[in-house]
Amino acid sequence: MVEHSKFKKLLPHLFLWLGIIIMLFPIYFIFVASSHTSAEILAAPMPMKIGPHLIENYRRALTEGTSNMGTPVLSMIKNSLIMALGISIGKILVSLLAAFAIVFFDFPLKKFCFWSIFITLMLPVEVRIMPTYKVIADLHMLNSYAGLILPMIVSATAVFLFRQYFMSIPREIPEASQIDGATPMQFFRNILIPMSRTPIAAMFVIQFIYGWNQYLWPLLITTKPEFYTLLIGINRMLSGADVQIEWNIVMATTLLAMLPPVVIILLMQKQFVAGMTETEK
Amino acid sequence: MALAICQINNDLSRGRRGGGHFTGCMVRPSDFHTEMDMAKQYEFKAKALPYLLVLPQMVIVFLFFFWPAAQAVWQSFFLQDPFGGKMIFVGLENYTKLFTDPTSGYWQSFAVSVAFALCITVISMVSGLFLAVQANKKIRFASFYKTMLIWPYAVSTLVAGVIWLFMFNPNVGVLAWMLKHVFHVDWNYLLNFNQAFLLITLAASWKQISYNFVFFLSGLQAVPETLIEAAAIDGAGPARRFQKIIFPLLSPTTFYLLVMNLVYGFFETFPIVHQMTAGGPGKSTAILVYKVWRDGVVNLDLGSSAAQSVVLMLMVIALTIVQFRFIERKVTY
């Protein structure tokens, strides 16, 4: 722009690096911690260089877990993955269908459906903890994947995004498909879904992260270790007296819990930003 | 959590659409207007099919959203024996107890929640805006910087809590050790409210900066360059340009983020409190959402927990309405 001087040009780089360091240095700590023995960490302060026990710690975490909570992290990764994929894919499917109905059909209860979905925005899990728990208990879905996933797959966000996108599709396209003799469902499957790849990808990133990072809900409805997700597992590993906590294993687990959503956001950054702050076309 | 207050940006010519977060939604007034104004989308003719299509969504909405919400309202008028299921109608007693009985600690919890949410909002919005302004400058490596500042969005609130807990744990934390031995601070956040509050605020804000960064950056990128150049030619310095042009143009984004950050601070920080302080020392950091959980799940005081749920529901509804009203009136544009 207008001002040019060496220092002024350098300044933004300096600030941005400062921001990046603030974001990254805690990660360095946990990475280093996951490469030492528990004893080394307990004899504070722990060493600041990477230690020799990295692979051993991760192997132990993945296959054995900590001694105060004997569930291997591998099984918790499986649960987190099932929950995250179930929530993200379920949300996308259910929302695509609902948005399809709301945009491409006229039916008496349309407005009612639209507003019902809208109102769910005002009812987050946090404000209906006990009664939702009771519904799940009555349906015998405590400690089950269905219980972890189903209540989470309603998303006004996704319905509105898809609705918005569907409205922007030229009306000649559904019209032509109709003239060519395609049924509405054929239009949905063969034309609409392939056309909607971009918003679907955007939703997938956002909802996968959302699903993977669920905490309160699994905390409520899982009591059996075989259904613990990673985040619940970390919480369980940390409950106990300080001396019993195997920090090296816990930190390895924490890093593993962080990795999948971070990798997804790095790989699909463009779709993610577009989904979050979509520009109107 | 699927909490979202809606983003309803003005339908400006450059019409950004906000939303996202795990929560966010992408509703704007235009979403509602289009129904009337715009040419309608082509409509297929079918009687039963649309109902079949919305059925899965509606079943879940009623079963897991409306029914429990109604239950919360209903239960809030009863005293319930958690084991027997005997319910005694007590009218508004659960509510009056919350607000007038000092042993309920509700006001204290309310105060700490407000302070917590405000601190997070200020810290993460100011840092997010500052970094976005830097990253929006025409500098080399801009896209690298962007990537490096966006990823923490994907870190879960619990993991953020665990990371900061580890660094500041009085026994093993490296930074706690430094505070003690280098700066001679008597650091033990498990016993000291101020330290506990500071720690959970930092952990919650650290994770939230990138959320604000994403939105502010995309808001900044939408500011027309010609406007800035024109102001520069007229002799406005960088600070003045920011104050007079950029910041006002950002106000819809800022307002949206203000609400979203408050929502995050109030409702989504449960994992941090649960993991780091468990509401302690004493009950001093028990924010409202933590208290609902604790009173319901741990203390099995279902009536009170239900009443608290209803109060929280009203708060979310109020925030949603504020968001709608304000934006419909257009935020300083």
Side-chain angles (χ1 to χ4, degrees), chain A residues 99-168:
Chain A
F100 178 53
I102 287 172
V103 175
F104 289 97
F105 292 89
D106 193 20
F107 53 105
L109 290 178
K110 185 165 152 167
K111 277 245 158 74
F112 171 76
C113 292
F114 182 78
W115 284 101
S116 299
I117 296 167
F118 176 71
I119 286 171
T120 60
L121 287 172
M122 302 184 201
L123 301 171
V125 196
E126 281 79 352
V127 309
R128 50 185 170 82
I129 294 177
M130 293 312 287
T132 318
Y133 171 85
K134 198 170 172 299
V135 172
I136 291 290
D138 290 345
L139 293 172
H140 304 290
M141 290 206 280
L142 297 175
N143 290 309
S144 76
Y145 293 124
L148 283 172
I149 293 166
L150 277 181
M152 299 281 126
I153 64 176
V154 159
S155 167
T157 317
V159 175
F160 290 135
L161 179 81
F162 291 135
R163 175 176 173 274
Q164 196 65 22
Y165 182 76
F166 290 169
M167 309 264 301
S168 73

Side-chain angles (χ1 to χ4, degrees), chain B residues 174-245:
Chain B
V174 175
L175 296 183
W177 185 89
M178 269 175 63
L179 280 175
K180 273 190 213 164
H181 295 91
V182 182
F183 299 101
H184 303 289
V185 179
D186 184 18
W187 176 261
N188 190 344
Y189 74 90
L190 294 169
L191 301 174
N192 180 322
F193 164 74
N194 289 331
Q195 294 177 359
F197 186 82
L198 182 72
L199 189 60
I200 56 174
T201 305
L202 286 177
S205 310
W206 174 79
K207 181 227 135 74
Q208 187 68 357
I209 291 173
S210 53
Y211 179 76
N212 291 292
F213 174 79
V214 170
F215 279 91
F216 275 130
L217 188 62
S218 91
L220 285 169
Q221 283 168 347
V223 174
E225 189 123 348
T226 46
L227 221 56
I228 312 284
E229 304 258 331
I233 291 165
D234 287 347
R240 208 173 148 72
R241 293 201 298 263
F242 185 80
Q243 186 203 344
K244 292 286 177 195
I245 299 173

Side-chain angles (χ1 to χ4, degrees), chain A residues 13 126 157 164 210 215 242, chain B residues 1 17 22 24 31 145 171:
Chain A
H13 292 274
E126 281 79 352
T157 317
Q164 196 65 22
Y210 166 82
Y215 180 70
D242 258 354
Chain B
M1 85 184 203
R17 182 199 282 161
F22 353 0
D31 278 346
Y145 290 136
N171 298 319

Side-chain angles (χ1 to χ4, degrees), chain A residues 5 33 56 145 167 197 213 215:
Chain A
S5 79
E56 180 191 326
Y145 293 124
M167 309 264 301
R197 270 184 310 231
N213 290 342
Y215 180 70

Side-chain angles (χ1 to χ4, degrees), chain A residues 1-3 12-13 15-17 19-20 22-27 29 33 41-42 44-46 48 94 97 100-101 103-110 112-124 126-128 130-132 135-136 139 141 150-151 153-154 157 159-161 163-164 166-167 169 171 174-175 178 184 187 206 209-210 213-216 219-220 231 234-235 238 242 247 251 254 258 261-262 265-266 269 272-273 275-278 280, chain B residues 1-4 6 15-28 31-32 34-35 40-44 46 49-51 53-54 57-58 60-69 71-72 130-131 134-135 137 139-140 144-145 147-156 158-159 162-163 165-167 169 171-172 174-175 177 206 209 211 215 218 228-229 232 238 241 267 270-271 274-275 289 293 296-297 302 305 309 312-313 316-317 320 324:
Chain A
M1 256 170 262
V2 196
E3 293 80 10
H13 292 274
F15 288 137
L16 287 164
W17 271 110
I20 291 172
I22 291 174
M23 292 303 167
L24 277 179
F25 84 92
I27 311 303
F29 275 118
I41 297 170
L42 284 171
M46 70 168 192
M48 277 289 89
V94 169
L97 291 175
F100 178 53
V103 175
F104 289 97
F105 292 89
D106 193 20
F107 53 105
L109 290 178
K110 185 165 152 167
F112 171 76
C113 292
F114 182 78
W115 284 101
S116 299
I117 296 167
F118 176 71
I119 286 171
T120 60
L121 287 172
M122 302 184 201
L123 301 171
E126 281 79 352
V127 309
R128 50 185 170 82
M130 293 312 287
T132 318
V135 172
I136 291 290
L139 293 172
M141 290 206 280
L150 277 181
I153 64 176
V154 159
T157 317
V159 175
F160 290 135
L161 179 81
R163 175 176 173 274
Q164 196 65 22
F166 290 169
M167 309 264 301
I169 289 172
R171 56 178 290 143
E175 219 164 356
Q178 182 85 327
F187 166 72
I206 293 171
I209 295 171
Y210 166 82
N213 290 342
Q214 280 304 308
Y215 180 70
L216 179 57
L219 181 73
L220 280 174
L231 300 187
I234 293 172
N235 174 262
L238 284 171
D242 258 354
W247 286 100
M251 288 302 123
T254 305
M258 223 183 73
V262 169
I265 212 173
L266 290 178
Q269 190 190 330
F272 166 71
V273 174
M276 294 273 282
T277 62
E278 166 112 306
E280 301 288 290
Chain B
M1 85 184 203
L3 165 58
C6 304
R16 273 193 50 258
R17 182 199 282 161
H21 208 172
F22 353 0
T23 67
C25 89
M26 295 153 189
V27 192
R28 304 165 309 132
D31 278 346
F32 298 91
T34 37
E35 228 149 9
K40 267 191 173 176
Q41 181 56 277
Y42 180 81
E43 275 162 3
F44 293 105
L49 185 60
Y51 290 104
L53 292 169
V54 289
Q57 181 99 9
M58 295 319 276
I60 298 169
V61 166
F62 276 89
L63 203 55
F64 297 118
F65 285 75
F66 289 0
W67 175 246
Q71 283 287 305
F130 180 76
L131 290 170
Q134 307 307 319
K137 291 184 174 148
I139 54 174
R140 292 179 68 188
F144 165 78
Y145 290 136
T147 307
M148 292 306 285
L149 289 167
I150 284 176
W151 67 266
Y153 170 86
V155 175
S156 79
L158 179 87
V159 167
V162 171
I163 293 172
L165 172 110
F166 177 64
M167 294 191 298
N169 180 296
N171 298 319
V172 300
V174 175
L175 296 183
W177 185 89
W206 174 79
I209 291 173
Y211 179 76
F215 279 91
S218 91
I228 312 284
E229 304 258 331
R241 293 201 298 263
F267 300 102
F270 170 84
H274 181 245
Q275 183 64 66
V289 173
W293 174 82
V297 178
L302 300 182
S305 175
S309 288
L312 288 181
M313 237 181 271
V316 184
I317 292 169
T320 313
F324 258 86

Side-chain angles (χ1 to χ4, degrees), chain A residues 68-69 232-242 244-245, chain B residues 275:
Chain A
N68 72 336
M69 203 216 96
I232 303 302
I234 293 172
N235 174 262
R236 297 287 183 257
M237 290 174 179
L238 284 171
S239 42
D242 258 354
Q244 296 162 353
I245 295 174
Chain B
Q275 183 64 66

